Amino acid sequence: MKKVLAIVALFAAMFVAGNVQAQSTVYAGYAPETFVTGNSSNNYQGFFAGFTQNFGLAKGIGAAVGGQFRMNTKSAQESNAVGSIKTTNTQLLVDIPVLFNYSIGINRELSVVPFVGPMASLALSGKTKTTTHENILGTNTSNTVDWYGDKSNLSRFNLYVVFGADVKFNQFNLFGGYRLGLLDINTSDNITTKTNGLFVGLGYTL
């Protein structure tokens, strides 16, 4: 994580000093996440929004540094004659991607930009809320479990390798790719949990 933060600080300092040209882009998209523990997978819906500064390093070559807010969510409900149980899982994260890219110009308006690089991720919160409804009495009871409580085995920090491509038309961006979690986010000795997922999004370059 220290290396990633050092890279971010370096590019930020260069931008402030005016030594490199930078383009700002805001974006949002869809990013489902899969938690893989042993041979089992747990799939979440995911959404993100953020901004990036793409610093020109050489002709056609850039480094995009930014920040994004991401949410993973999953809900399930079971019902029977007695009542129902609804479970809602929600995870909120902040990501810091550092993506090196190369612009391939098709014409003056259209370009294709492959990218690859690391992305540091920090979970702000993670909760599982269970709501039980009893038909006879008509009552609801709720219980919330904190993923990162005192007895939790989950780590808040993760590091991904991210790769994909951005199709730019004038100021509009259509991009997609894949992120692969490199770290075991389960601190238990005999259990390994890693994450991965596809993503697709739309952006606008200011």
Side-chain angles (χ1 to χ4, degrees), residues 1-3 16 32 52 58 63 100 154 158 174-175 183 185-186:
M1 183 178 182
K2 291 182 179 179
K3 292 182 178 180
V16 171
T52 187
F100 298 93
L154 286 179
N158 201 354
L174 173 63
F175 61 91
L183 303 183
I185 61 172
N186 196 315

Side-chain angles (χ1 to χ4, degrees), residues 3 13 20-21 28 44 48 63 66 70 72 88 120 137 145 155 159 163 169 177:
K3 292 182 178 180
V20 295
Q21 297 296 319
Y44 284 71
F48 65 94
R70 185 158 54 94
N72 293 322
T88 302
L137 299 178
V145 176
S155 171
L159 181 66
F163 56 89
F169 181 76

Side-chain angles (χ1 to χ4, degrees), residues 91 93 123-126 146-152 154-156:
Q91 184 188 33
L93 310 101
L124 302 178
S125 69
D146 186 355
W147 291 13
Y148 306 103
D150 294 337
K151 298 181 180 180
S152 172
L154 286 179
S155 171
R156 292 178 181 269

Side-chain angles (χ1 to χ4, degrees), residues 2 6 11 25 71 76 78 88 99 123 126 128 138 150 159 164 191-192 201 206:
K2 291 182 179 179
F11 283 112
T25 300
M71 178 179 69
E78 298 180 0
T88 302
L99 304 178
T128 298
D150 294 337
L159 181 66
I191 301 175
T192 299
L206 305 176

